[in-house]
Amino acid sequence: MTLIRSALTVCTLSLVTAWPVLAEDDVVLVLAGGGARGIAHVGAIAALEELQVPVKGIAGTSMGALVGGLYAQGMDAEQLLAVVENMSWDEAFEDSVDRDNLPQRRKEDDYDYPAAVSLTLDDGNISIPLGFVQGQQVRQMIKDLSYKSDHIDDFDNLPTPYRAVATDIETGDAYVFDGGDIVTAMRASMSLPGLLAPVEHDGRLLVDGGLAMNIPVSVGRELGGERLIVVDIGTPLRDRSDINNLLDVADQMLNFLTRRNSIEQLELLTDRDLLINPDLTGFGMLDFEQTSEIYRLGYEATMAMQDQLKPLALADADWAGYLASRELQNPPDPVINHIAIFDDSPLRDDVIRVHISQQEGQSLDRNQLRADLETIYALDHWQIIDYEVVSDQADGNVLEIHARSKTWGDNDLKFGLNLVTDMDGSSDINLGVSYLWKGITELGGELYARGQVGDTTLFGAEFYQPMDVRSRFFIAPYAGYRDSDVTTLGPEFGAADPAGAWRVRRLSTQFDVGWNALKNSQLRLGLFRNYGEYRTDIEIGGSLPEDEFNEGGVLASLRYDRLDNAFFPTRGGFLYGDYRAMRSELGADTDFERWQAIAQGAFSFGAEDRNTIILTGRTGQSTDAPNAPQNYFQLGGLFNLSGLSQNQFSGRQMAFAMAQYQRRLSDTSVLPFNLPAYLGASIEGGELWSDRSDVSTSDFITGGSIYLAVDSPLGPLYFAYGRTEDSRDALYLSLGWPFLNNQFRIGR
């Protein structure tokens, strides 16, 4: 029965290759899949090197394919340990790029609906990608580690012959890589379904090899090894008491699949083979922060079998020769004779080419090319951006840039939730949706539309059209409607005057021309024409005035954004200013000016930059403006004079300053999400005035807050206590960014 099962297993392999023939006693190392548990493979290799046991072939699945692939290319155990210790696994398993590399347009997206997952519309149907993570970062990280062998397309010609196992998701069969691009082989083998998107290769859609063959014993045997050393790091099945949520259920289902095929493969072992089982109890497939401990367990489990391994060891002289045979020399950087762009998106090839710094006739600069590809990827039109160098008799060395468009469509559908309450009767609740349709034109034109219902109602759309391939200049027509509350409490009305609130409704049209000055700033000039009205919503102590109004004029806005995180920055700065001149000849009821500005800076200190100081200043003036609610600024609420109710005070002149101290408590990673928690405090001061002549810092209301926050997939979550100098206080619960009540994030 064992022989029959062995034959059937071999026959199911999707790729039949010409395997090298090794000597009878040559050892083939077989490395199982298991996520972070696979770090134990590095410890096992370290023990084999210490014992001077040569490995003449290697077969791996998933994490075993990654470790095995790097080892096959000539890395030793010390180098492998440095890789797993220094690799930023959180960055590897996400698609986001460093925020500083995002174009200004994409940075603006952060302030709208902060969502970890975007949906798309495809032929009217909502769709999602094939994985939370498309693998841009992890592929480039593997590519950086494999550059010495990128000219080798036959895995038998590596310092150590190598095989990687993936799974054909259409058939369920194992697919064995024996050549081609080794980066693709490793990336495909570790494509955990649901987390990492599948890899398209050879007409197949490939996912993690663990689904079909988690311990590739038969592949190691076919590689030519009569003697196998197998390292099994598979995750045992969970007890019922350990199955407590959806992730536990999904993990258990995956374990069922991998353990079943693992048992079948382990039955193929003979008495000549060695099986190493590190005791990895308590370690999960995502425990990458436990590198040292997992490495140690792999090393100790292998050293515990040194009596069986010593007969396989080489003498010192032979071992030195073996090590020399595994050295892979740095290939000379090829001179690039031609650059070719392969892009299946509607955009012009020049949109990609203009960002490639590599010059024809010069040696390939891999570091600069990697940075250029990240810049292109940050434009957010493509699923994967990659490159390869191919030799052509006619063109010489051709640098091919491969840009693969998103299979689910170049558009984003996001849903937003904003909840702010002081737990004492004052609250704002808003539900919103936004739709971003990118790549409409060959220069990257896009339509952005959003709608919201709740305490603030908004509908609007902007068409953004770049005028050149670098998107340095653009035009942006906009139309929208907004309906929101404006309170009358404050300096505009004395104690004898009525109090309450208006509903201010405004229908707006706007046409901007803009300049994306460098990568981190944007200047806009435009014309606007608005029609609106204000009607009484709440009246206390008498009747409030009601009226209609017309606005028209010219505008100028400047935005600068170098924050490393929109909501929990650790470094960088933000500046936004907006100036509007109302002119009667352009439709305004009267001539006046209104401007507003915000400035924010952040810097960190201490171990791992866990401590952060954030300084914020805001100001606004409606100079000579009519005393009407459409011209008011508002203060009150969390981080807007904490201790007061939401938007409690209003006035035509405003000033506010805040200093925050924030400490990061954790870096809790729940792939594909990162959920850090923060403890912080703020000191705040601000005031509103009716007229510019009334402005005085001596009138400032001071206050502050203490808070606990989590950077959640739905946006920032705050639980805070605020208090003012005159003992007014409030408890706040805030989820999501107050995206429409914040007058200084208006962008679109």
Side-chain angles (χ1 to χ4, degrees):
M1 180 63 71
T2 300
L3 291 175
I4 295 174
R5 184 181 289 112
S6 177
L8 290 174
T9 301
V10 174
C11 290
T12 60
L13 298 181
S14 306
L15 185 66
V16 178
T17 61
W19 307 96
V21 178
L22 304 181
E24 182 177 343
D25 289 330
D26 282 346
V27 170
V28 171
L29 185 61
V30 177
L31 303 180
R37 295 162 65 95
I39 296 171
H41 295 321
V42 181
I45 290 172
L48 294 176
E49 290 185 344
E50 184 175 328
L51 297 171
Q52 299 187 173
V53 175
V55 174
K56 296 301 183 68
I58 189 164
T61 294
S62 195
M63 191 65 174
L66 176 63
V67 173
L70 297 177
Y71 181 73
Q73 296 175 73
M75 285 191 181
D76 58 24
E78 183 177 356
Q79 292 169 319
L80 288 172
L81 180 58
V83 168
V84 297
E85 285 182 333
N86 298 324
M87 180 175 289
S88 177
W89 296 101
D90 286 344
E91 292 181 9
F93 291 110
E94 64 181 22
D95 290 324
S96 62
V97 300
D98 191 310
R99 193 168 184 273
D100 195 50
N101 289 326
L102 293 176
Q104 186 63 232
R105 184 73 176 171
R106 298 285 73 87
K107 290 180 180 180
E108 293 177 28
D109 298 339
D110 291 342
Y111 302 110
D112 293 333
Y113 302 113
V117 180
S118 295
L119 306 177
T120 62
L121 289 177
D122 185 13
D123 293 331
N125 298 316
I126 294 179
S127 63
I128 59 175
L130 293 178
F132 278 113
V133 180
Q134 300 310 305
Q136 175 71 15
Q137 300 300 338
V138 70
R139 180 175 180 85
Q140 294 306 315
M141 288 182 178
I142 298 173
K143 200 177 191 77
D144 289 345
L145 297 170
S146 304
Y147 73 95
K148 288 185 179 181
S149 59
D150 60 6
H151 62 290
I152 300 175
D153 57 9
D154 185 343
F155 295 170
D156 292 343
N157 295 329
L158 293 167
T160 301
Y162 168 70
R163 300 292 184 267
V165 180
T167 301
D168 187 330
I169 193 63
E170 183 179 7
T171 65
D173 295 333
Y175 182 95
V176 181
F177 284 89
D178 72 332
D181 178 26
I182 195 170
V183 176
T184 298
M186 291 186 284
R187 165 67 178 86
S189 184
M190 58 190 298
S191 299
L192 186 65
L195 176 60
L196 275 173
V199 172
E200 292 188 22
H201 175 76
D202 194 27
R204 296 174 170 86
L205 198 61
L206 302 177
V207 298
D208 196 295
L211 298 181
M213 192 181 295
N214 198 50
I215 310 177
V217 173
S218 58
V219 176
R221 190 77 71 202
E222 292 295 329
L223 188 53
E226 293 296 322
R227 187 184 295 269
L228 305 180
I229 297 177
V230 179
V231 184
D232 179 11
I233 47 92
T235 306
L237 296 177
R238 294 172 178 264
D239 295 329
R240 180 174 179 178
S241 59
D242 295 327
I243 303 175
N244 301 309
N245 53 57
L246 178 63
L247 293 177
D248 293 341
V249 173
D251 184 58
Q252 184 79 335
M253 293 174 63
L254 184 62
N255 289 338
F256 276 134
L257 294 172
T258 57
R259 291 313 299 175
R260 181 174 299 174
N261 67 61
S262 294
I263 292 172
E264 292 177 355
Q265 288 291 303
L266 291 174
E267 290 179 352
L268 304 179
L269 297 177
T270 70
D271 56 5
R272 292 175 55 83
D273 304 317
L274 295 178
L275 177 62
I276 301 173
N277 283 116
D279 185 4
L280 300 174
T281 303
F283 295 96
M285 62 185 302
L286 300 180
D287 289 333
F288 290 101
E289 72 279 3
Q290 303 293 327
T291 293
S292 298
E293 184 64 15
I294 297 174
Y295 169 88
R296 181 186 65 80
L297 293 171
Y299 172 84
E300 292 179 350
T302 306
M303 292 300 293
M305 303 185 68
Q306 57 182 300
D307 290 342
Q308 297 98 309
L309 291 168
K310 283 182 178 179
L312 305 176
L314 295 178
D316 291 347
D318 293 332
W319 179 251
Y322 166 75
L323 293 179
S325 71
R326 295 194 69 251
E327 293 182 3
L328 190 62
Q329 301 299 318
N330 283 327
D333 292 325
V335 175
I336 301 302
N337 303 111
H338 181 65
I339 299 175
I341 308 296
F342 296 90
D343 175 21
D344 60 356
S345 77
L347 276 68
R348 286 168 48 177
D349 290 349
D350 287 349
V351 174
I352 294 176
R353 182 65 179 90
V354 73
H355 295 288
I356 301 296
S357 304
Q358 178 70 48
Q359 298 297 310
E360 296 178 352
Q362 296 183 0
S363 298
L364 178 66
D365 187 338
R366 300 178 187 273
N367 291 333
Q368 182 60 54
L369 182 57
R370 166 100 186 251
D372 292 342
L373 294 186
E374 183 163 323
T375 297
I376 298 169
Y377 187 73
L379 299 176
D380 199 30
H381 293 290
W382 298 278
Q383 182 176 343
I384 293 290
I385 300 285
D386 200 10
Y387 76 93
E388 64 176 329
V389 179
V390 299
S391 295
D392 185 271
Q393 286 186 341
D395 298 322
N397 293 322
V398 180
L399 173 61
E400 294 184 351
I401 307 297
H402 296 273
R404 182 187 174 192
S405 62
K406 300 174 181 178
T407 57
W408 59 94
D410 194 12
N411 57 82
D412 295 316
L413 181 67
K414 293 183 178 181
F415 298 91
L417 168 65
N418 164 238
L419 168 64
V420 181
T421 177
D422 62 7
M423 301 190 182
D424 195 30
S426 179
S427 63
D428 281 351
I429 302 176
N430 298 284
L431 297 173
V433 61
S434 71
Y435 178 69
L436 177 60
W437 181 13
K438 302 186 293 291
I440 298 176
T441 67
E442 62 179 11
L443 289 177
E446 57 187 51
L447 176 67
Y448 180 80
R450 65 189 297 177
Q452 176 177 306
V453 294
D455 289 275
T456 299
T457 300
L458 176 98
F459 302 96
E462 178 188 76
F463 181 74
Y464 175 89
Q465 176 58 54
M467 304 305 293
D468 62 299
V469 294
R470 288 188 178 273
S471 295
R472 292 170 296 186
F473 303 97
F474 63 90
I475 59 173
Y478 169 85
Y481 170 80
R482 175 174 174 148
D483 181 350
S484 59
D485 261 339
V486 175
T487 63
T488 65
L489 296 174
E492 300 293 351
F493 290 81
D497 293 314
W502 288 283
R503 296 296 293 185
V504 178
R505 304 176 180 92
R506 180 185 278 111
L507 182 65
S508 304
T509 58
Q510 186 169 310
F511 186 90
D512 292 349
V513 296
W515 175 39
N516 289 312
L518 305 176
K519 186 166 53 179
N520 300 297
S521 57
Q522 183 184 97
L523 175 66
R524 290 189 179 216
L525 302 174
L527 298 171
F528 62 92
R529 182 71 170 88
N530 307 329
Y531 169 78
E533 64 176 14
Y534 50 95
R535 298 290 184 242
T536 302
D537 188 43
I538 300 173
E539 291 182 327
I540 302 173
S543 299
L544 296 175
E546 298 181 338
D547 205 350
E548 299 177 351
F549 61 89
N550 290 279
E551 298 174 325
V554 297
L555 66 91
S557 68
L558 173 66
R559 183 186 292 267
Y560 170 85
D561 191 349
R562 290 290 303 274
L563 296 176
D564 62 340
N565 185 289
F567 307 110
F568 300 98
T570 62
R571 66 181 185 275
F574 178 92
L575 176 66
Y576 177 76
D578 180 272
Y579 170 81
R580 295 173 184 257
M582 307 290 177
R583 293 294 180 262
S584 56
E585 58 267 27
L586 294 176
D589 293 325
T590 184
D591 293 350
F592 67 94
E593 286 78 40
R594 183 170 65 232
W595 62 271
Q596 56 187 338
I598 180 173
Q600 188 174 83
F603 64 92
S604 297
F605 58 94
E608 300 179 338
D609 287 338
R610 288 185 173 270
N611 304 285
T612 302
I613 300 295
I614 305 171
L615 303 177
T616 305
R618 302 201 315 262
T619 186
Q621 288 193 14
S622 296
T623 307
D624 300 323
N627 186 9
Q630 72 271 20
N631 299 318
Y632 293 172
F633 302 98
Q634 295 183 284
L635 289 177
L638 181 61
F639 306 143
N640 194 35
L641 281 185
S642 300
L644 302 181
S645 299
Q646 187 80 359
N647 296 325
Q648 183 172 338
F649 294 139
S650 60
R652 286 176 292 176
Q653 323 293 323
M654 182 273 293
F656 174 83
M658 176 174 63
Q660 291 173 265
Y661 167 77
Q662 194 165 266
R663 178 172 175 82
R664 189 174 76 249
L665 301 177
S666 68
D667 292 305
T668 304
S669 181
V670 183
L671 295 174
F673 305 122
N674 195 34
L675 302 174
Y678 302 85
L679 181 66
S682 69
I683 300 174
E684 307 163 33
E687 183 57 285
L688 293 153
W689 301 270
S690 177
D691 298 310
R692 188 165 53 181
S693 59
D694 300 328
V695 175
S696 173
T697 56
S698 62
D699 300 329
F700 265 35
I701 301 172
T702 59
S705 71
I706 56 174
Y707 60 89
L708 180 67
V710 176
D711 194 358
S712 81
L714 296 177
L717 172 64
Y718 293 96
F719 183 72
Y721 171 75
R723 187 178 180 90
T724 64
E725 59 181 329
D726 56 357
S727 300
R728 287 175 288 186
D729 61 355
L731 283 172
Y732 299 101
L733 176 65
S734 176
L735 175 62
W737 186 254
F739 39 83
L740 287 180
N741 291 324
N742 189 323
Q743 302 175 70
F744 299 92
R745 305 287 196 188
I746 60 177
R748 304 178 178 124

